[in-house]
Amino acid sequence: MEIEVDNIEYNPGKETMWWGTLGTVRPFQPFHPDVDAHQIYVALDNKTVDVMTLIRILINRTNAQRQDIAVAYNDLAQKDLNAALKKGLSGPVQELLLALMMTPAQFDAHRLRHSMEGLGTDEEALLEVLCTRSPDQLRDITVAYKEAYGRYLENDLISETSKDFSKLVLAILKKEELNTPGEIDYQLIDQDVKSLKDAVSGKKPDSAPWIQVLTSRDSDHLNRVISRLEDLKGEPVDKTIQNHFSGDFRLGLRTLVHSIQNTPLYLAQRLQACMKKNAVVRGIMVGRSEEDLLWVRVQFRKLTNVSLYSTIQVRFQSTLLNLCLNRCLPLCKTNLGTCTVL
């Protein structure tokens, strides 16, 4: 059972479609948090926890609705819902449902902290979160990180990174789009193209212009800059980065450029490369479920010729399948038998 949406084209900054959302999770109606809280209370109060009831409710509610359920549960049971889920569940189901109960900022903060804990830093996980979030979202994540861990995100990034890569991730964290969104500033485009081109024209590449330009403009402007630069150099910008930079800084620039050019495609590529890593798959599925998971699924299908639904079905439990499928069916006008994304 798959839905025919493969002919949809992705346009950065123009993601809205006729049904009003590109996420697989939409507001559940009619919504009664007290009723949901009571059903969850009963499901957790049994000697054998009713896992399917928990999944059915929590995966079919938006994050805002889950927060209302958590408040109602606290009033009803006089205990924290997260604590009850930790006590009653274990393994991947527990990890997924606890992830769903975090606010988006808390979940991204959690992923960032996890990427920096222990020996070594997971640079790819770190970059995935930082490069795919807006300036406003990054500010919320910074606050959530301090509240959750009593640590400053900026300080942790400094201690876990070095040299140009450190400058890049800090610039991404603090990025502000200095150009005027919605306006095409041809003079600034020419200026930015020249800055990037000149920075890799000498014997030693200059990282500073690349950091400055790529972290201080909106995606529409940057896509014009990248396209113009590619025309002038006669090669993809990815190849330019590969030829002139190295190490973690090269990884950071490539990830940032890929996310600017097409975030859903970048996430689909990451899913393809990391399908055996539960934390990565869970992170993308939860983190994008109310934003653009439908786009990610379209790109995954084009990339692999296999649906994301089928791929997850082979490797994971039904909870992630439900999150992938969730609200797709009411969004499509085609015959269910011709579905080609799920």
Side-chain angles (χ1 to χ4, degrees):
M1 182 174 63
E2 302 186 16
I3 294 178
E4 179 65 67
V5 294
D6 278 5
N7 59 339
I8 297 171
E9 293 298 328
Y10 174 74
N11 293 304
K14 300 178 181 178
E15 295 90 347
T16 303
M17 298 179 67
W18 68 268
W19 55 75
T21 179
L22 290 169
T24 55
V25 177
R26 297 189 299 158
F28 183 86
Q29 298 298 339
F31 175 57
H32 302 290
D34 293 341
V35 173
D36 287 344
H38 181 265
Q39 291 184 18
I40 290 172
Y41 177 78
V42 172
L44 287 168
D45 198 45
N46 294 330
K47 290 184 179 180
T48 302
V49 174
D50 184 355
V51 176
M52 293 312 298
T53 292
L54 299 176
I55 292 172
R56 174 180 57 80
I57 294 173
L58 295 178
I59 285 184
N60 284 284
R61 306 297 185 269
T62 63
N63 189 272
Q65 289 178 326
R66 292 183 212 118
Q67 304 312 315
D68 289 341
I69 292 170
V71 172
Y73 182 90
N74 187 282
D75 292 341
L76 173 67
Q78 295 300 301
K79 66 173 102 173
D80 181 68
L81 177 54
N82 284 339
L85 291 172
K86 286 181 182 178
K87 181 179 179 181
L89 301 171
S90 63
V93 174
Q94 181 200 71
E95 292 172 347
L96 177 62
L97 295 187
L98 288 175
L100 289 169
M101 291 308 303
M102 297 180 196
T103 66
Q106 288 170 344
F107 183 58
D108 283 340
H110 166 77
R111 295 191 69 203
L112 287 172
R113 182 66 195 141
H114 187 264
S115 73
M116 293 184 282
E117 282 183 322
L119 294 175
T121 299
D122 185 343
E123 288 84 5
E124 291 185 352
L126 187 75
L127 288 165
E128 181 204 312
V129 175
L130 293 177
C131 292
T132 60
R133 293 308 185 190
S134 70
D136 286 342
Q137 288 173 320
L138 289 169
R139 283 189 281 273
D140 290 341
I141 292 166
T142 301
V143 172
Y145 191 93
K146 180 65 168 64
E147 290 177 347
Y149 305 108
R151 307 167 65 97
Y152 290 99
L153 177 56
E154 182 177 349
N155 291 346
D156 282 352
L157 289 173
I158 291 171
S159 68
E160 295 294 330
T161 59
S162 62
K163 300 180 180 178
D164 286 341
F165 183 57
S166 184
K167 294 176 185 177
L168 177 64
V169 296
L170 291 176
I172 295 170
L173 180 66
K174 298 179 177 181
K175 66 184 175 183
E176 294 183 23
E177 296 170 354
L178 300 180
N179 64 303
T180 304
E183 292 186 9
I184 303 176
D185 187 336
Y186 292 103
Q187 183 176 354
L188 184 59
I189 290 171
D190 290 340
Q191 176 185 313
D192 288 344
V193 171
K194 184 177 186 304
S195 294
L196 296 181
K197 184 174 181 292
D198 289 349
V200 294
S201 295
K203 291 183 179 180
K204 184 178 180 181
D206 184 0
S207 63
W210 283 76
I211 295 173
Q212 193 273 327
V213 170
L214 294 178
T215 62
S216 62
R217 313 283 192 258
D218 70 10
S219 60
D220 285 342
H221 175 93
L222 288 173
N223 273 302
R224 289 185 171 88
V225 170
I226 290 168
S227 178
R228 185 82 61 83
L229 180 65
E230 290 179 335
D231 289 343
L232 287 175
K233 293 191 67 64
E235 64 183 15
V237 68
D238 195 62
K239 186 175 180 180
T240 301
I241 293 170
Q242 288 274 38
N243 290 341
H244 295 281
F245 300 103
S246 61
D248 291 339
F249 182 65
R250 177 169 65 187
L251 172 66
L253 283 183
R254 294 185 67 213
T255 302
L256 182 55
V257 167
H258 292 169
S259 67
I260 289 166
Q261 291 178 310
N262 190 328
T263 297
L265 175 58
Y266 158 68
L267 293 171
Q269 291 169 334
R270 183 149 166 76
L271 282 171
Q272 181 189 28
C274 303
M275 189 53 69
K276 294 182 180 180
K277 298 180 180 179
N278 289 26
V280 174
V281 177
R282 181 174 62 249
I284 294 174
M285 297 293 290
V286 172
R288 314 305 296 196
S289 62
E290 292 184 48
E291 293 189 35
D292 55 4
L293 189 53
L294 288 175
W295 272 130
V296 175
R297 283 172 27 202
V298 169
Q299 296 295 341
F300 188 90
R301 176 80 184 202
K302 290 180 178 180
L303 187 66
T304 66
N305 204 32
V306 180
S307 72
L308 180 57
Y309 184 90
S310 299
T311 305
I312 291 174
Q313 190 173 36
V314 171
R315 296 190 179 276
F316 294 97
Q317 73 287 349
S318 61
T319 48
L320 278 175
L321 282 178
N322 291 335
L323 195 58
C324 181
L325 172 66
N326 206 10
R327 290 310 183 96
C328 195
L329 299 186
L331 308 181
C332 190
K333 298 177 179 178
T334 61
N335 186 293
L336 296 184
T338 64
C339 223
T340 56
V341 171
L342 296 178

